[in-house]
Amino acid sequence: RIQADFLIKNLPNTQTVEFAAVYKPAYQIGADWYDVIIADHIKYVVVADVCDKGIPSALYMSVFRSLLRLSLVNETNKHEEDPGKTICRAIDLVNQYMAKNHSESCMFATCFVGGYDETTDKLHYVVAGHEAPLVLHGEEIEQMKIGGPAIGIFETATFKSSSCDFNRDDMLLAFSDGLEDVRNPQDESLGVEEVIKLLQSKYSSQWSALMLANDLEKAFNLHKKTAEQFDDLTILCMKAKRID
C-alpha cells in the first residue's frame, strides 16, 4: 500500500495531452515506476526500472523516485530554458547523489525522462540505460536515442538530451523491459518487434492513450498465458491531442 502511494492514481489529462499507464509488479512488491509532472506548458513523463526485485529494490526506487521528481520540479522552477537541459541537470544531480551515497548496495536504475513542450511541438528526452521508447507519427515509427548509462553506477557519468517532433495526434510509448521480455510457456520472449507491430497496426490518430495501453496489456497476457511473470511490467502512453 505504501509503494502504491508513489504512483499517480489519476493521470493529469488535459485538453491538449492525454496519458494512460499500466503497472503490474511481478511479485507482491515491484521496483518499476512511472510518473507525470505538469509544469505549465511542459509535460514531463518518467518510466524507470530499478535492478533486481523485492524489498531492497523497492526501497531504492522510493529514494530514486523522490529525488528525481523533486529535482525536475526544482530545476524547472529555477531556469527558463528548453526541457532537455532541465532533464539533464535533474538526472545529473540524482546520479551523483545515488552513486556517491548508495554505491555499496550495488543498485542502479534505468530511466526514460521526457519533456513535451506544447509551444514548440517538441519532445525533449534522456534515455539513461533504459529501453528506447517509441513515437508513432501517423504510420511512421521513431525509436529514441540512448543518452547515457544507468543511474547510480558512475558518479562522473554524463547524460545527453535529444529531441524529436511531437505534433498533434502523435503517440509516445514508453515501457520497461518487462513488456518485451515477457516469456510464454515455451520460454519465448514477446520481443520489441511485436510491440512495434502492435503500435503500427493503427495510425497514431486512431489510437487513444488508454486504448494503446489496454491493447499492450492484452498482448502481454496473451503471450504469457500460464507462464510465471518474472519481471515488473510498466507501460506509459502519451498522446498529443488535436484541438479543432
Side-chain angles (χ1 to χ4, degrees):
R1 288 197 300 271
I2 292 172
Q3 187 189 32
D5 287 341
F6 284 104
L7 299 175
I8 289 183
K9 294 177 176 62
N10 298 305
L11 290 165
N13 294 322
T14 71
Q15 289 186 326
T16 56
V17 64
E18 64 180 25
F19 306 94
V22 173
Y23 176 68
K24 293 179 68 172
Y27 305 111
Q28 287 185 327
I29 188 167
D32 280 9
W33 166 52
Y34 68 85
D35 206 349
V36 176
I37 302 167
I38 304 294
D40 195 16
H41 61 281
I42 308 296
K43 276 62 177 176
Y44 291 105
V45 291
V46 180
V47 173
D49 183 0
V50 174
C51 66
D52 210 355
K53 303 290 176 293
I55 292 174
S57 298
L59 288 170
Y60 188 95
M61 182 274 286
S62 67
V63 175
F64 171 63
R65 177 262 184 196
S66 299
L67 285 174
L68 183 55
R69 193 175 223 279
L70 180 63
S71 297
L72 279 171
V73 171
N74 285 346
E75 292 302 320
T76 298
N77 292 337
K78 279 196 287 186
H79 303 276
E80 297 249 341
E81 54 186 87
D82 76 78
K85 293 181 180 178
T86 297
I87 294 168
C88 281
R89 280 197 308 269
I91 289 179
D92 277 336
L93 289 169
V94 175
N95 177 71
Q96 289 170 25
Y97 175 85
M98 299 303 282
K100 182 178 180 179
N101 295 282
H102 298 283
S103 59
E104 291 185 5
S105 66
C106 297
M107 303 288 285
F108 62 88
T110 68
C111 73
F112 157 74
V113 183
Y116 168 44
D117 187 341
E118 293 183 350
T119 63
T120 61
D121 289 329
K122 288 285 186 180
L123 178 60
H124 304 260
Y125 64 89
V126 173
V127 181
H130 198 76
E131 282 62 42
L134 305 167
V135 175
L136 182 64
H137 312 275
E139 60 180 345
E140 298 297 323
I141 290 282
E142 180 173 357
Q143 197 164 33
M144 294 187 166
K145 303 172 184 176
I146 298 295
I151 293 175
I153 302 176
F154 307 111
E155 191 177 346
T156 58
T158 58
F159 300 90
K160 180 181 179 182
S161 67
S162 300
S163 66
C164 66
D165 292 333
F166 199 70
N167 297 301
R168 298 294 184 251
D169 287 337
D170 284 352
M171 177 71 77
L172 166 71
L173 169 60
F175 51 92
S176 64
D177 57 1
L179 176 61
E180 59 184 288
D181 290 345
V182 60
R183 304 277 173 163
N184 62 15
Q186 290 73 46
D187 200 33
E188 300 165 328
S189 63
L190 177 65
V192 70
E193 295 82 7
E194 290 299 314
V195 175
I196 291 173
K197 187 186 298 183
L198 189 152
L199 177 59
Q200 223 169 4
S201 66
K202 291 182 175 68
Y203 286 92
S204 58
S205 60
Q206 297 173 311
W207 284 114
S208 70
L210 183 59
M211 186 192 308
L212 177 58
N214 286 342
D215 281 8
L216 285 165
E217 184 178 11
K218 288 176 186 175
F220 173 91
N221 290 328
L222 283 171
H223 183 81
K224 184 175 76 68
K225 295 180 182 175
T226 58
E228 181 182 3
Q229 181 184 343
F230 67 89
D231 201 0
D232 301 333
L233 169 68
T234 302
I235 298 167
L236 179 65
C237 304
M238 177 176 71
K239 181 172 183 176
K241 294 163 63 178
R242 181 174 297 280
I243 300 178
D244 298 322

